[in-house]
Amino acid sequence: HNADCSEVKFLKEAICITDPPYNIGKPQLIADLRGMKKRTIGNDVGEAFDTDAIEPWEWIPFMPNTIASFYGAKKLDIFIRAFRKAGFEIVQDFHWCKSNAPMPMRGVGFSWATETGFVFRRKGTKHSVNKEAGFSPNFLVTSTENQHRKHFTQKPIRVMKWLIHYLSRPDILVIDPFMGSGSTGVACAELGRRFIGVEK
């Protein structure tokens, strides 16, 4: 659907697996690590990409009863509060660990070697976990080398397949309200899951 996700009606029994816009900063110039050029983060997809990004409380209430979502650490407190206000509880966390993480932009401190997400469930409902899949650690280690990306925050298909395989039964509809380049949809197709994606 080419639409605003808050205007699309989803089945409450579906599962949302997504990587939403974090909206963690204003447009700013950041030097390329090779020192060759600068790029404007806020102009990634139009001038309002970051400043007008949808906030958590604007989309969470419209989602299914189960949501698995990545989110940035800088606004994690706001993210969790928005879920609790909408009547959700945390089921557990999960982590994508990068075996060849990029250096931090200033060349000091920790590299961004992990991306964290959480599984949320609307209170009083059941989680649609795939019991036939067995169990997995709550982390997946992959490399980001040779990853062909159409967007600089694009998640690898392997990461999305890991989440979809363990968190959704084969008969459950998977939705991604922030489809972006479509990694979640491709992962669903490869796993034989039904999928609906939404992107403005």
Side-chain angles (χ1 to χ4, degrees):
H1 295 280
N2 181 205
D4 184 319
C5 63
S6 65
E7 298 172 355
V8 179
K9 292 191 180 298
F10 299 109
L11 289 171
K12 293 299 182 184
E13 296 75 26
I15 181 170
C16 170
I17 299 180
T18 191
D19 181 29
Y22 302 165
N23 197 18
I24 59 173
K26 296 179 179 179
Q28 54 188 302
L29 289 176
I30 295 180
D32 186 282
L33 284 176
R34 293 174 296 279
M36 301 291 288
K37 58 184 178 180
K38 292 185 177 183
R39 60 188 172 91
T40 306
I41 295 295
N43 287 344
D44 177 62
V45 185
E47 293 182 1
F49 173 71
D50 220 19
T51 56
D52 291 347
I54 192 169
E55 296 288 358
W57 56 85
E58 296 177 293
W59 62 270
I60 291 170
F62 303 97
M63 295 297 111
N65 292 332
T66 305
I67 302 172
S69 178
F70 286 96
Y71 210 70
K74 289 184 179 181
K75 286 194 172 182
L76 191 56
D77 56 331
I78 295 172
F79 189 60
I80 292 175
R81 278 203 306 269
F83 269 100
R84 288 186 171 145
K85 187 173 182 180
F88 285 83
E89 58 189 354
I90 297 175
V91 177
Q92 72 174 130
D93 57 345
F94 56 86
H95 311 271
W96 169 34
C97 306
K98 305 170 188 178
S99 61
N100 60 326
M103 286 180 61
M105 281 176 277
R106 294 182 179 85
V108 295
F110 294 120
S111 64
W112 293 97
T114 62
E115 291 196 36
T116 294
F118 296 87
V119 180
F120 297 91
R121 176 178 55 210
R122 201 179 302 271
K123 291 180 180 177
T125 64
K126 292 184 178 180
H127 180 207
S128 64
V129 67
N130 183 9
K131 294 179 180 178
E132 295 179 1
F135 72 92
S136 167
N138 66 337
F139 64 88
L140 178 70
V141 180
T142 75
S143 170
T144 54
E145 286 180 331
N146 302 319
Q147 180 184 335
H148 300 291
R149 299 189 302 176
K150 294 182 179 294
H151 188 276
F152 67 90
T153 66
Q154 178 179 320
K155 293 294 179 289
I157 293 169
R158 182 182 170 196
V159 172
M160 302 316 292
K161 284 178 74 172
W162 169 64
L163 293 174
I164 293 162
H165 176 66
Y166 284 100
L167 297 178
S168 70
R169 300 194 313 265
D171 61 321
I172 292 292
L173 175 68
V174 177
I175 69 159
D176 187 349
F178 307 103
M179 188 173 171
S181 56
S183 296
T184 309
V186 174
C188 283
E190 293 186 2
L191 289 171
R193 299 290 201 274
R194 292 177 299 138
F195 173 74
I196 292 177
V198 182
E199 181 55 64
K200 271 172 86 171

